[in-house]
Structures are given as structure tokens and as C-alpha cells.
Amino acid sequence: MYYRDICKILSLYLLGFAGAMLIPLGIALYFQFLADPGDHPQPHSTVYFLDSIAFCLGLAALCYFFGRHSTGHLYRREGLAAVVIIWFLTPAIASLPFFFSGTLTNPVQAYFEAASGLSTTGASVMTPKVFNE
């Protein structure tokens, strides 16, 4: 199996995923600096998205380092391995803002919430806040 080719694919994917995470970062920046504080009940999560993007970029750099001398041979085995790794890695990285911000303290629940959001199944482990009046 050509592990360097798998690492090269993962590095390119993680770079694109870090770029996609700029969208929720922009939304977090909007609610932190431009919107009224009462519009968004969650604490500001801008720094947690930045931490997650930095982790994703660091992992992409690490994968690129190991895959920099890839031969370019991609067979069925390498393709399947890359897809399986991507399917497990994507919700793990997407769950980092939930876990870093303390919104979900259990990493399994954060992983489930991220997988649910990415696959648009609609299942959730989060419950609404109860306001005492």
C-alpha cells in the first residue's frame, strides 16, 4: 500500500476542509462584533474556530510532510483507505469547536453532533437552555 499517496490526498483534503471552516468562523465573527449581544445566546466561539482551523492546518501540514514524495500511484486500496480515513477524520475535526468551547463536554457527543450536522440527518444530543423567569 502506498501510504505516501494516502497522506498526500489527506493533506489536500484537510487544506480544503480548513478553508470550508472559514464560513462558520465568519459567522462567529459576525455575532461577536457586529450583531447585538442578545441575538446569540452562546458565548463567543471565534477563538475556538480559529483553534480548530489551526489544528486542521497543522494536520494537513503533517500529512503533506509524509506525502511529499508520493509516487502518484493510486489504486483501489489507497482510494478506499483515503475515503475511510476522511469519513472518520472529518467529524472528528468538525467536533473540535463543540469540545473546545465547552458546549458539549463529552467527546463522543461532540463527534455525534458533528457527524449529524455534516450528514444533515437532523439527530442531535443538544438540548435547549431552560430560562428561569
Side-chain angles (χ1 to χ4, degrees):
M1 186 174 292
Y2 297 105
Y3 296 107
R4 290 180 179 167
D5 293 324
I6 295 171
C7 286
K8 184 93 176 233
I9 292 169
L10 288 177
S11 69
L12 295 174
Y13 173 77
L14 290 170
L15 186 64
F17 190 62
M21 288 180 72
L22 292 174
I23 296 170
L25 174 67
I27 294 170
L29 284 169
Y30 169 76
F31 277 109
Q32 183 172 356
F33 296 113
L34 299 176
D36 291 331
D39 290 344
H40 197 271
Q42 280 295 108
H44 299 297
S45 57
T46 306
V47 69
Y48 306 119
F49 280 110
L50 285 174
D51 291 343
S52 301
I53 291 171
F55 179 80
C56 188
L57 288 175
L59 195 58
L62 185 69
C63 287
Y64 185 77
F65 175 75
F66 287 117
R68 69 185 184 276
H69 297 298
S70 67
T71 58
H73 297 289
L74 188 66
Y75 297 107
R76 185 177 298 157
R77 229 179 317 166
E78 289 81 13
L80 286 173
V83 168
V84 168
I85 292 169
I86 286 171
W87 270 98
F88 282 108
L89 194 60
T90 302
I93 293 172
S95 68
L96 291 177
F98 291 120
F99 190 68
F100 288 159
S101 68
T103 303
L104 295 171
T105 56
N106 187 351
V108 175
Q109 288 180 342
Y111 186 89
F112 176 82
E113 193 68 37
S116 171
L118 290 168
S119 64
T120 66
T121 58
S124 181
V125 294
M126 295 196 303
T127 57
K129 291 184 177 182
V130 177
F131 295 104
N132 295 330
E133 293 179 20

